[in-house]
């Protein structure tokens, strides 16, 4: 990883869990976090697209993030949340098992792609954050929500 | 008076593009009628305005090119230069160059273009020396080339005497500045005027206030209280170099007493007060011109927001209506009836604000058709009818490309060559008409050519040879099948695809676009006599009548525009013809499509009777089986974002009275 020069910026991350792993996205990309609600099924869509919801008059897609990352889908519990994120003008709700905290880390605390993370999801990583004994995977939302890739999928 | 030019950039770009459009349009007219002085004056005026605007904004390339262009135009007007195809082509390429510079500015691309060859060509035409030093904006400000017409109207002779004051002494002037009647972006003009004034003196005050002036809260003229050491003539001249300034009048004139400047100001202020009482007279003089309709430019996104809000209001209203029905409260019902009426009116008004005359996109077609005809060695008279007809802005934007395609088709494949036409006893010049007309809740846009027409038999043969239709089917085809075949993806009857358009190439795209907007495409063609394509489009997009149906516990909306009828079918009524399920309805055999299956469900058929919705797609009726019919409702279309648009088959979504989301089915693309 390239050496950071100059002042090190602090970034804030929203940490959430999927299965046994912890993930994070930058707080600036999170629009809101809401409880599960009824989702209208979207036929003919990739399997990770759960459907669409009405977010105060705007229709947005909701995806099952676990499926998108090829992880096992967790049970829907009282902790399950829809995290509405925005990247490159695309606003999407992501179903996550639980949202735990907002974490403040120094920019240089983010390390490059590790070998330990779930291999299937390596393509969507921006880096990992090591905090005490925790390993938090920072997602690259642009890749998670990549239209090019989605339209390539045969569904 | 600190105003920043950059905040006017958008205004500038808008206006520059309008002027370029006007130039293109007028040039096409001029080519048809070379001697018409009105058209020339119009061209000159637009070019001059463009130059002035560009100079103020500091876009030197634009200024220089439009200046050189103006010289040629001047030659055309004086008759020194004759209007010929080469000149017209040259000017068109200037317009194109100006256009690309403007869009470069708009996108801040930083791309530079080389205007030199064009400038050389222009100079060669009017005989300007090509070695003369490049004209700089500043150099021209001193002695601007003034169009004759402007001088006539702008400098009334009786005022000439006023200018004989000594320059050098500081004095205070009250100026009345009048803008051209058709000045479009007055705030830009105001900015230019103040900028100019501040170069030669000091602006003390204005009436209306500078804020009001910037907001265009004035008619055509305003007053400026101004101190300067320049002569009156110099001031007037300086202001008259600004385009679209129609006149400058000195209303009051005070020789400045150097020692007490404040007193001068007071005098000036008194003069202002006095002017207040005089105003009606002054206005009456200025108001000789017809009063222009009051209008405001609004960003389209504001209108979209407004539309969305109304949409939510309609949804809420529906929700209230549902509550009132289930609780049966007479007072609520009464109040709701009012609300229903009000929201309908509101909806109507907002809808109207979104309507734009088709002229908006039609204006660029004459130039396109002319260029294309020239390129294809065809002779074409192009005419436009009904350019005042209005359509929703979004629909209009969407049909621009399809329309361009139809016009290209008409020039390329519709109109026959002049020689062929003569042998067939037709006039050498072909005609293409672009017609818009209002037909109740629809607008019909037609492209008619008097060319060779479509040879239906050839189309059928080609389709058969390509395996699109079977030999049996070939015999049963009639005229109404031509369009269906032509708009089969990939079908082309053009012997060689010209690179511009092949008849049929892309016609499927046109058709799909029109249908996705809730419209229909028709074609009528007589061999040897010509072809007409007609688009039938809804006036507005945002709110439509739809039939709600239920499939697998989910609600879907089918736009009522495609629905022919509904019926209930028993399983025993279903027949099978070569693996395709069909039903008989009123002596008609209809293919039966099961919506659950269409939507990717794999459920087995039930044994009970089920409802079908008969829809018309590609001029054929298809019966669509659903689980349940839920009735007809007015729905508000919310478009799907880029993420969801990847998934085909849906024209948007709508929020129902219950807050639930229902997808709107795009039947043509679902059945494609």
């Amino acid at each position: 990883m390239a050496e950071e020069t100059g002042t090190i910026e602090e970034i804030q991350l929203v940490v959430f869990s999927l299965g046994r792993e912890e993930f994070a996205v930058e707080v600036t990309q999170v629009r809101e976090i809401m409880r599960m609600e009824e989702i209208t099924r979207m036929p003919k869509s990739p399997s990770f697209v759960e459907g669409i919801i009405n977010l105060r008059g705007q229709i947005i897609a909701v995806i099952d993030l676990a499926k998108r990352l090829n992880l096992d889908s967790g049970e829907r519990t009282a902790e399950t949340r829809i995290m509405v994120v925005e990247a490159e003008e695309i606003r999407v709700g992501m179903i996550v098992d639980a949202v735990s905290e907002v974490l403040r880390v120094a920019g240089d605390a983010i390390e490059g792609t590790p070998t330990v993370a779930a291999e299937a999801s390596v393509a969507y990583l921006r880096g990992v954050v090591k905090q005490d004994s925790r390993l938090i995977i920072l997602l690259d939302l642009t890749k998670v929500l990549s239209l090019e890739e989605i339209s390539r999928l045969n569904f | 008076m600190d105003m920043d030019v950059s905040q006017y950039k958008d205004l500038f770009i808008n206006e520059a593009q309008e002027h370029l459009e006007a130039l293109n349009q007028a040039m096409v007219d001029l080519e048809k009628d070379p001697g018409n002085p009105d058209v020339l004056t119009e061209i000159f005026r637009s070019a001059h305005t463009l130059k002035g605007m560009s100079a103020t904004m500091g876009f030197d390339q634009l200024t220089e090119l439009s200046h050189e262009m103006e010289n040629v135009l001047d030659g055309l007007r004086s008759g020194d230069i004759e209007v010929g195809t080469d000149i017209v082509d040259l000017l068109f390429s200037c317009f194109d160059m100006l256009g690309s510079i403007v869009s470069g500015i708009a996108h801040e691309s930083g791309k530079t273009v080389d205007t030199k060859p064009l400038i050389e060509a222009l100079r060669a035409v009017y005989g300007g020396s090509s070695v003369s030093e490049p004209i700089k904006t500043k150099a021209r400000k001193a002695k601007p080339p003034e169009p004759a017409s402007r001088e006539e109207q702008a400098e009334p002779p009786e005022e000439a005497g006023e200018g004989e004051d000594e320059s050098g002494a500081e004095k205070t002037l009250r100026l009345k500045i009048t803008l051209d009647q058709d000045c479009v972006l007055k705030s830009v003009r105001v900015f230019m005027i103040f900028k100019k004034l501040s170069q030669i003196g000091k602006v003390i005050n204005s009436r209306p206030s500078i804020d009001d002036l910037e907001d265009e809260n004035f008619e055509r003229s305003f007053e400026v209280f101004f101190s300067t050491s320049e002569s009156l003539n110099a001031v007037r001249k300086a202001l008259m170099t600004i385009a679209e300034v129609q006149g400058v009048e000195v209303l009051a004139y005070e020789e400045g007493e150097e020692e007490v400047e404040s007193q001068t100001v007071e005098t000036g202020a008194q003069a202002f007060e006095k002017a207040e009482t005089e105003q009606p007279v002054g206005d009456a003089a200025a108001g000789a011109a017809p009063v222009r309709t009051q209008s405001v430019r609004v960003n389209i996104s504001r209108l979209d927001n407004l539309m969305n809000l109304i949409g939510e209001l309609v949804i809420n209203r529906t929700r209230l209506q549902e509550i009132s029905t289930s609780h049966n409260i007479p007072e609520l019902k009464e109040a709701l009836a009012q609300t229903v009426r009000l929201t309908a009116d509101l909806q109507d008004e907002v809808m109207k604000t979104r309507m734009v005359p088709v002229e908006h996109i039609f204006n660029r077609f004459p130039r396109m058709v002319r260029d294309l005809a020239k390129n294809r060695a065809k002779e074409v008279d192009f005419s436009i009818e009904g350019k005042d007809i209005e359509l929703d802005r979004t629909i209009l934007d969407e049909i621009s490309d399809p329309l361009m395609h139809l016009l290209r088709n008409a020039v390329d494949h519709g109109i026959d060559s002049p020689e062929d036409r003569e042998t067939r006893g037709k006039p050498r010049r072909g005609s293409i008409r672009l017609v818009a007309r209002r037909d109740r809740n629809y607008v019909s846009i037609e492209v008619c050519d008097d060319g060779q027409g479509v040879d239906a038999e050839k189309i059928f043969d080609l389709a058969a040879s390509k395996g699109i239709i079977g030999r049996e089917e070939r015999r049963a085809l009639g005229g109404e099948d031509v369009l269906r075949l032509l708009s089969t993806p990939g079908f082309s009857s053009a012997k060689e695809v010209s690179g511009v358009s092949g008849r049929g190439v892309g016609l499927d795209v046109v058709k799909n676009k029109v249908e996705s907007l809730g419209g229909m495409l028709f074609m009528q063609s007589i061999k040897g006599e010509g072809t007409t394509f007609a688009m039938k489009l809804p006036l507005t997009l945002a709110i439509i009548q739809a039939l709600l149906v239920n499939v697998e516990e989910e609600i879907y909306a089918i736009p009522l525009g495609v629905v022919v009828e509904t019926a209930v079918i028993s399983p025993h009524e279903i027949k099978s013809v070569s693996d395709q399920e069909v039903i008989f309805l009123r002596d008609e055999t209809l293919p039966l499509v099961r919506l659950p299956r269409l939507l990717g469900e794999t459920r087995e058929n039930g044994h009970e009777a089920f409802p079908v919705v008969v829809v018309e797609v590609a001029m054929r009726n298809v019966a669509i089986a659903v689980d349940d019919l839920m009735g007809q409702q007015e729905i508000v279309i919310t478009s799907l974002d880029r993420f969801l648009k990847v998934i085909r088959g849906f024209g948007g979504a709508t929020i129902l009275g219950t807050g639930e989301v229902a997808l709107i089915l795009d039947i043509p693309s679902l059945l494609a």
Side-chain angles (χ1 to χ4, degrees), chain B residues 13-31:
Chain B
I13 288 162
N14 263 331
E15 200 185 349
Q17 280 165 346
E18 272 168 27
H19 279 294
L20 281 171
E21 206 168 84
L23 281 170
N24 270 310
Q25 176 71 39
M27 192 55 80
V28 172
D29 293 344
L30 185 70
E31 197 179 23

Side-chain angles (χ1 to χ4, degrees), chain A residues 38-46 48-49 51-54 56-63 87-92 144-147 150-151 155, chain B residues 308 312 319 551-556 598-601 638-644 646-650 652-655 659-663 669-670:
Chain A
E38 205 180 312
I39 298 171
T40 302
R41 212 174 60 81
M42 183 92 192
K44 302 180 70 181
S45 61
F48 63 83
V49 174
I52 52 180
I53 55 167
N54 164 17
R56 288 186 305 277
Q58 197 194 356
I59 309 262
I60 63 164
V62 176
I63 66 169
E88 297 190 343
E89 289 175 18
I90 297 176
R91 191 175 285 198
V92 166
V144 173
L145 306 180
S146 156
L147 288 170
I150 292 166
S151 52
F155 52 83
Chain B
N308 287 342
E312 283 185 57
R319 195 177 300 178
V551 170
E552 297 283 293
E553 324 267 280
E554 296 282 3
I555 300 169
Y556 296 93
L598 214 50
L599 298 175
E601 296 286 341
T638 308
S639 58
L640 299 175
D641 60 15
R642 282 197 296 147
F643 188 84
L644 290 164
V646 175
I647 302 155
R648 296 181 136 273
F650 306 99
T654 187
I655 300 163
E660 276 176 277
V661 180
L663 283 160
S669 88
L670 264 181

Side-chain angles (χ1 to χ4, degrees), chain B residues 363-490:
Chain B
N363 277 349
R364 64 181 104 129
F365 294 139
R367 166 79 198 275
M368 190 196 86
V369 170
R370 176 228 175 240
D371 284 1
L372 191 64
K374 197 156 175 265
N375 182 275
R376 293 277 171 275
K378 307 254 171 99
E379 291 177 20
V380 177
D381 283 327
F382 180 63
S383 63
I384 292 178
E385 291 164 40
K387 57 163 88 171
D388 301 331
I389 301 286
E390 293 184 325
L391 258 181
D392 184 277
R393 168 71 188 249
T394 313
I395 299 181
L396 203 56
D397 286 346
E398 293 279 326
I399 60 158
S400 174
D401 284 350
L403 211 47
M404 212 180 284
H405 195 92
L406 291 179
L407 285 168
R408 281 195 187 134
N409 258 342
V411 176
D412 222 20
H413 307 292
I415 298 294
D416 20 19
S417 71
E419 296 73 33
D420 285 355
R421 292 181 66 90
E422 278 187 336
T423 30
R424 280 177 199 150
K426 293 202 270 193
R428 269 181 77 85
R429 296 184 71 82
S431 113
I432 296 178
R433 294 187 308 132
L434 177 59
V435 184
R437 63 173 118 244
R438 174 86 178 258
D439 176 16
R440 265 176 301 165
N441 281 326
Y442 281 88
V443 165
S444 168
I445 297 180
E446 293 161 22
V447 175
C448 324
D449 68 61
D450 69 345
Q452 52 206 355
V454 174
D455 188 338
E457 293 302 316
K458 257 192 202 156
I459 301 286
F460 298 154
D461 289 344
L462 196 65
S465 73
K466 285 194 173 189
I468 295 173
I469 47 169
R471 203 158 286 166
E472 284 301 304
E473 218 183 320
R474 163 74 180 82
R475 248 166 265 157
L477 291 176
E480 69 277 11
D481 295 304
V482 176
L483 181 64
R484 182 168 60 84
L485 290 172
L486 282 176
S487 51
T488 307

Side-chain angles (χ1 to χ4, degrees), chain B residues 97-222:
Chain B
M97 179 71 83
L98 291 170
S100 65
I101 299 174
V102 170
S103 63
I105 294 166
H107 299 120
E108 285 168 349
S109 62
K111 257 194 288 178
T112 49
V113 289
D114 186 12
T115 53
K116 235 194 217 109
L118 270 179
I119 288 175
E120 291 290 324
L122 288 167
R123 286 185 186 164
V125 171
Y126 74 82
S129 161
S130 62
V131 286
S132 72
E133 58 187 286
I135 293 152
K136 289 258 161 60
T137 320
K138 274 179 199 142
R140 236 172 317 106
K141 269 178 184 158
K143 194 174 182 289
E146 205 62 36
S149 66
R150 185 170 305 283
E151 276 162 16
E152 283 157 23
Q153 51 174 255
E155 296 208 25
E158 70 266 30
E159 274 181 26
E162 271 183 25
E164 291 165 16
D165 58 301
E166 291 167 52
S167 71
E170 184 86 4
K171 57 198 159 302
T172 306
L173 307 173
R174 187 156 66 91
L175 302 172
K176 178 172 177 178
I177 299 167
T178 306
L179 300 178
D180 273 2
Q181 189 184 325
D182 48 3
C183 174
V184 191
L185 289 172
K186 293 188 288 190
S187 57
V188 176
R189 227 50 69 189
V190 167
F191 170 69
M192 292 164 76
I193 289 164
F194 277 87
K195 190 176 169 192
K196 179 70 82 180
L197 286 174
S198 62
Q199 282 168 3
I200 53 175
K202 200 170 144 211
V203 177
I204 298 162
N205 206 343
S206 71
R207 205 189 58 171
S209 74
I210 184 68
D211 287 341
D212 278 342
L213 290 176
E214 278 191 77
D215 289 344
E216 304 195 347
N217 288 331
F218 67 105
E219 286 290 323
R220 280 176 53 212
S221 55
F222 58 94

Side-chain angles (χ1 to χ4, degrees), chain B residues 593-610:
Chain B
V593 178
R594 291 172 188 266
L595 192 52
R597 228 179 269 167
L598 214 50
L599 298 175
E601 296 286 341
T602 46
R603 182 184 51 138
E604 276 308 301
N605 309 331
H607 296 285
E608 284 164 31
F610 55 88

Side-chain angles (χ1 to χ4, degrees), chain B residues 15-138:
Chain B
E15 200 185 349
Q17 280 165 346
E18 272 168 27
H19 279 294
L20 281 171
E21 206 168 84
L23 281 170
N24 270 310
Q25 176 71 39
M27 192 55 80
V28 172
D29 293 344
L30 185 70
E31 197 179 23
K32 275 187 213 147
D33 185 5
N36 192 327
D38 293 345
V39 178
L40 257 175
T41 308
E42 199 188 320
I43 293 174
F44 204 99
R45 179 191 275 284
S46 280
H48 186 75
T49 309
L50 194 61
K51 186 181 81 176
M53 286 160 49
S54 310
T56 308
M57 300 291 287
F59 298 129
D60 290 342
Q61 263 198 326
L62 282 177
T63 319
E64 195 183 359
L65 185 55
S66 43
H67 173 72
E68 296 293 341
M69 209 168 77
E70 205 176 321
N71 286 336
V72 172
L73 292 172
D74 209 22
L76 290 177
R77 207 169 49 171
S78 65
D80 293 344
I81 304 170
E82 215 171 293
V83 182
T85 318
D86 48 337
I87 299 284
V88 173
D89 281 342
L90 177 63
L91 288 170
F92 271 138
S93 21
C94 285
F95 300 163
D96 291 344
M97 179 71 83
L98 291 170
S100 65
I101 299 174
V102 170
S103 63
I105 294 166
H107 299 120
E108 285 168 349
S109 62
K111 257 194 288 178
T112 49
V113 289
D114 186 12
T115 53
K116 235 194 217 109
L118 270 179
I119 288 175
E120 291 290 324
L122 288 167
R123 286 185 186 164
V125 171
Y126 74 82
S129 161
S130 62
V131 286
S132 72
E133 58 187 286
I135 293 152
K136 289 258 161 60
T137 320
K138 274 179 199 142

